[in-house]
Amino acid sequence: MHAMQYELTLPSDYDMDVVRARVARVGHLLDDWEGLGFKTYLMRERGVNGSPVNQYAPFYLWNTVEGMNGFLWGGGFQGLSNDFGRPSVRQWTGLSYEEGGAAGSPGRWAVRRRQPVPDGAELADVMADAVGGTERLAGEDGAVWAAAAVDTARWELVHFSLWTHEAPEAEGELFEVLHVSAPGRGRLPRGRQW
């Protein structure tokens, strides 16, 4: 499993209905993308739910590197780059994935928390804590699913969770979910990824 995200931070006076309309127009194009577990089309709006920025920031969980590369190099990503400029794409290696009690329900909100892996920490302990955090989040009321992943170039953990309600039991940045494409949800490996 691989996690991927890019962020398009837009001007403070940007009409975010443009982003909503774009997702309504093209969001379905990945509903059957081979190798994709999930794509969550995420947005934050300045001044709403504490967001300091206007931002479009899709988050992906990939079943296969081929699916991810096909998206990046095969045209799917090019349309976004043509419309907004090519953003930096962050990638993390999957640590864990769990479905919550609300699995199968439409996710309306998402929470992302990034944190550094402390220098000198026992890596096995840090990664085990991340797996435990995924299990805890998935067990909360309204959780659709939760995942954790690590970027070993930056030594950064990302915790990501999808929720049915606006008040999730997770720390981090809150995003509105505009659409979810989940063609390979059933093929995402559950639990610890090593």
Side-chain angles (χ1 to χ4, degrees), residues 60-188:
Y60 303 74
L61 285 181
W62 293 96
N63 288 319
T64 68
V65 172
E66 293 83 5
M68 181 174 66
N69 288 344
F71 172 76
L72 289 169
W73 323 138
F77 183 66
Q78 190 63 53
L80 175 104
S81 296
N82 292 345
D83 291 347
F84 293 100
R86 186 174 58 217
S88 175
V89 179
R90 300 288 314 274
Q91 295 182 31
W92 298 269
T93 301
L95 293 173
S96 63
Y97 168 77
E98 295 290 347
E99 293 203 346
S105 300
R108 301 285 184 220
W109 300 93
V111 177
R112 179 197 66 197
R113 181 170 55 103
R114 294 184 299 202
Q115 67 184 94
V117 175
D119 287 338
E122 284 291 324
L123 294 177
D125 294 342
V126 172
M127 301 312 149
D129 286 347
V131 170
T134 301
E135 292 168 352
R136 183 192 62 76
L137 286 173
E140 295 290 344
D141 182 50
V144 177
W145 56 265
V150 63
D151 175 346
T152 57
R154 296 180 187 211
W155 288 109
E156 176 188 69
L157 290 169
V158 63
H159 302 268
F160 189 84
S161 49
L162 190 65
W163 302 85
T164 59
H165 55 78
E166 191 174 345
E169 294 294 324
E171 295 178 24
E173 298 160 307
L174 182 66
F175 292 86
E176 180 183 352
V177 177
L178 302 177
H179 180 73
V180 176
S181 294
R185 178 183 132 227
R187 290 187 297 278
L188 282 169

